[in-house]
C-alpha cells in the first residue's frame, strides 16, 4: 500500500471569540503511532496549529490532496456562517465576526479540493463546535463534503457564555490509539461518541468503503391529502466504484439512521449525496431532485413539517422547471405532500410564511382532489387571526 498522509488542523480564534481549545488535542494525537492515523504502514504527518491565513491553509490542503496515497484529515475548531452568502466557514486564529469572510476558511474550499481525489482514498475526522447560526444550518443541511469520502466526527452547539469546550471526541479516539488498540474506524467512532457526548451533538458517520453512484428512482405514487405521505423513495441497486469492497445503498444507511432517531445524521448523509448530485448532474437534475425529495421526507420523519413542506415545494418547482406537466403524478405527489406537511405546522407565524407560496403552487398544480386551493386559502385566512406561538395572553 502507498504511504499515507495525515493532515492535522487545529484552529480557533484568539481571545474572547474562542469556543474550543482546539490545539489541546495535538499533543495527544502526536503520541499516536502515525500508521494508526493513516491506516498505512508508512505515514507522513502534517500539523497546522492555530493557522492565521486561509490561503495558507488551502495551500496545505491542496498539497495533501495531491498525494497519491490514502489521506486522512483531522480537523478540530469552530464553524461560523457567513450571513451574506450563507456559507459555512472554519474560523482561524485571527477570525472575528466582522472579518469572517476574509480570515476564515470557507468549508467549500476544503470540499472542492477533496472531491478531486479518487473515491475511497480520503477520510475526514472532525471535532468541532458551531456558532448558533451555523448550528441551525448544519442541523438541517448537514456538513457537506462529497461522495467517496469517509466522514466521522462530532459537531456540538456553542457552549454557554464564557465556557470553552474541549475536543473530547478526538481525544477519546487518540486515547484508544495510544493504548495500542486500533479497531475499525466505525467502531472507534461509536465508542468515542458515547464517551464524548453530549446528547444534542451532531455525530457524523459516513463510512462506505465503496461508494455507490446515487441514481434517481421513481417517486412513490402520491398519497391523498390528509393521509400520511408515502415513504422515502427507494433507489435501484447502486453501482460500485471500488472492487475491493461491496457497495452499499446509501438510502439504507440513511433510513436506518432516521428510524433509529438519529435524524441529524440522516439529514447530513442525504445533504451530502444531494450536494454530490448537484455538482455531478447540475441544479434541477433528476438526481438532485431525487435527493431533495429524500430530504423532504426525512424532515417529516424528524417531525419538522415546516422544513418538509419547504423541501417538497422546492421539489415540485424543480420538476415543473424541467417541463414536467402539472398533472404529472410525481409533480402532484410533491405538492400533495407539501400541502399535507403545511397542515401539520402548528406555529401560526411559520404557517403564514409558507402559505402564499403553497397557494401559488396549488393554483398551478390543483391535484386530483377538488377544493385544494380553497382549503389552503381558508386556513391561511384563519391563521391571520391567530397570535404567534408563545405570545402572551392579556390578563383578565
Amino acid at each position: 500500500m502507498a504511504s499515507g498522509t495525515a493532515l492535522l488542523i487545529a484552529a480557533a480564534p484568539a481571545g474572547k471569540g474562542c469556543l474550543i481549545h482546539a490545539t489541546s488535542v495535538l499533543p495527544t494525537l502526536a503520541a499516536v503511532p502515525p500508521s494508526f492515523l493513516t491506516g498505512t504502514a508508512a505515514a507522513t504527518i502534517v500539523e497546522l496549529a492555530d493557522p492565521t491565513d486561509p490561503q495558507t491553509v488551502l495551500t496545505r490542503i491542496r498539497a495533501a490532496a495531491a498525494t497519491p496515497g490514502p489521506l486522512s484529515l483531522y480537523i478540530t475548531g469552530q464553524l461560523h456562517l457567513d450571513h451574506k452568502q450563507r456559507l459555512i466557514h472554519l474560523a482561524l486564529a485571527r477570525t472575528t465576526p466582522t472579518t469572517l469572510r476574509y480570515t476564515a476558511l470557507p468549508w467549500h474550499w476544503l470540499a472542492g479540493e477533496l472531491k478531486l481525489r479518487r473515491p475511497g482514498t480520503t477520510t475526514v475526522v472532525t471535532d468541532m463546535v458551531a456558532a448558533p447560526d451555523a448550528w441551525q444550518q448544519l442541523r438541517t443541511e448537514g456538513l457537506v463534503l462529497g461522495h467517496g469520502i469517509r466522514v466521522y466526527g462530532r459537531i456540538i452547539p456553542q457552549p454557554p457564555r464564557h465556557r470553552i469546550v474541549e475536543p473530547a471526541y478526538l481525544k477519546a479516539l487518540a486515547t484508544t490509539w495510544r493504548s495500542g488498540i486500533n479497531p475499525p474506524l466505525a467502531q472507534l467512532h461509536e465508542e468515542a461518541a458515547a464517551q464524548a457526548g453530549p446528547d444534542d451533538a451532531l455525530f457524523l458517520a459516513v463510512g462506505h468503503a465503496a461508494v455507490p453512484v446515487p441514481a434517481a428512482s421513481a417517486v412513490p405514487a402520491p398519497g391523498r391529502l390528509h393521509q400520511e405521505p408515502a415513504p422515502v423513495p427507494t433507489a435501484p441497486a447502486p453501482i460500485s466504484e471500488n472492487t475491493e469492497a461491496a457497495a452499499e445503498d446509501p438510502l439504507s444507511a440513511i433510513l436506518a439512521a432516521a428510524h433509529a432517531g438519529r435524524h441529524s445524521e440522516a439529514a447530513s448523509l442525504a445533504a451530502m449525496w444531494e450536494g454530490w448530485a448537484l455538482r455531478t448532474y447540475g441544479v434541477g437534475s433528476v438526481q438532485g431532485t431525487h435527493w431533495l425529495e429524500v430530504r423532504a421526507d426525512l424532515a417529516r420523519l424528524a417531525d419538522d413539517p415546516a422544513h418538509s413542506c419547504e423541501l417538497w415545494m422546492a421539489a415540485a418547482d424543480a420538476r415543473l422547471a424541467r417541463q414536467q406537466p402539472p398533472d404529472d403524478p410525481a409533480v402532484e405527489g410533491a405538492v400533495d405532500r407539501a400541502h399535507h406537511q403545511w397542515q401539520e405546522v402548528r406555529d401560526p407565524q411559520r404557517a403564514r410564511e409558507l402559505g402564499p407560496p403553497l397557494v401559488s403552487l396549488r393554483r398551478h398544480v390543483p391535484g386530483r382532489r377538488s377544493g385544494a386551493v380553497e382549503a389552503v386559502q381558508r386556513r391561511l385566512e384563519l391563521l391571520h387571526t391567530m397570535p404567534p406561538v408563545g405570545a402572551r395572553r392579556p390578563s383578565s
Side-chain angles (χ1 to χ4, degrees):
M1 178 181 289
S3 175
T5 300
L7 177 58
L8 317 181
I9 302 175
K16 63 181 181 180
C18 181
L19 304 177
I20 183 171
H21 288 297
T23 57
S24 67
V25 74
L26 293 178
T28 311
L29 285 172
V32 172
S35 60
F36 284 18
L37 295 176
T38 62
T40 58
T44 299
I45 310 299
V46 180
E47 183 178 296
L48 288 178
D50 278 334
T52 59
D53 177 39
Q55 290 291 341
T56 300
V57 178
L58 177 63
T59 299
R60 293 294 185 91
I61 293 172
R62 184 170 293 162
T67 59
L71 172 64
S72 298
L73 277 78
Y74 296 86
I75 305 174
T76 180
Q78 58 193 64
L79 300 174
H80 295 261
L81 187 68
D82 164 24
H83 290 165
K84 185 173 183 178
Q85 296 182 305
R86 309 297 296 175
L87 295 174
I88 295 293
H89 286 62
L90 175 68
L92 302 181
R94 295 178 181 170
T95 299
T96 66
T98 57
T99 66
L100 178 70
R101 296 181 62 202
Y102 313 103
T103 59
L105 179 76
W107 191 258
H108 67 273
W109 286 10
L110 171 66
E113 296 301 323
L114 298 185
K115 75 176 183 180
L116 302 176
R117 291 180 51 81
R118 183 168 61 87
T121 64
T122 307
T123 301
V124 177
V125 182
T126 69
D127 193 353
M128 298 185 288
V129 59
D133 46 7
W135 176 251
Q136 291 303 318
Q137 181 162 308
L138 290 166
R139 293 284 291 182
T140 57
E141 299 182 13
L143 187 67
V144 178
L145 276 172
H147 90 293
I149 300 173
R150 290 199 306 169
V151 183
Y152 290 98
R154 177 189 76 152
I155 304 174
I156 61 175
Q158 180 172 323
R161 190 177 179 88
H162 303 308
R163 182 185 164 201
I164 302 177
V165 299
E166 297 290 331
Y169 169 86
L170 262 181
K171 286 185 176 181
L173 260 65
T175 300
T176 299
W177 280 327
R178 289 180 63 184
S179 70
I181 301 174
N182 188 18
L185 191 52
Q187 176 184 336
L188 188 55
H189 163 76
E190 293 291 340
E191 295 172 357
Q195 291 179 41
D199 292 340
D200 59 347
L202 169 59
F203 289 103
L204 311 173
V206 184
H208 302 116
V211 181
V213 176
S217 61
V219 177
R224 291 159 55 189
L225 281 178
H226 310 297
Q227 293 185 346
E228 194 69 5
V232 171
T234 57
I239 302 171
S240 174
E241 294 183 359
N242 185 341
T243 58
E244 296 179 358
E248 299 177 35
D249 179 356
L251 275 178
S252 298
I254 291 169
L255 283 173
H259 288 299
R262 302 193 308 275
H263 298 295
S264 296
E265 179 183 327
S268 182
L269 283 165
M272 183 175 295
W273 281 91
E274 182 189 10
W276 174 83
L278 294 177
R279 289 190 299 273
T280 305
Y281 299 102
V283 176
S285 63
V286 173
Q287 294 84 354
T289 303
H290 164 73
W291 286 103
L292 182 61
E293 291 174 337
V294 169
R295 290 179 57 216
D297 214 52
L298 289 174
R300 175 185 67 84
L301 293 173
D303 196 25
D304 188 352
H307 190 50
S308 181
C309 174
E310 283 183 310
L311 293 172
W312 278 119
M313 287 195 291
D317 287 337
R319 290 185 175 277
L320 290 168
R322 287 204 307 272
Q323 307 304 312
Q324 288 183 245
D327 60 352
D328 185 302
V331 176
E332 289 184 338
V335 179
D336 284 352
R337 288 169 173 83
H339 190 157
H340 174 87
Q341 290 299 296
W342 182 69
Q343 290 175 314
E344 299 297 311
V345 178
R346 294 293 171 252
D347 181 350
Q349 178 60 34
R350 194 75 179 93
R352 284 195 292 266
E353 294 170 355
L354 295 169
L358 181 59
V359 169
S360 178
L361 194 55
R362 262 300 182 209
R363 284 173 176 158
H364 192 53
V365 187
R368 303 190 182 188
R369 178 168 181 163
S370 61
V373 176
E374 293 77 8
V376 179
Q377 290 175 321
R378 283 195 301 270
R379 186 181 182 224
L380 194 53
E381 291 172 0
L382 178 62
L383 287 167
H384 281 291
T385 68
M386 300 173 63
V389 170
R392 182 178 296 179
R393 296 180 179 178
S395 56
S396 56

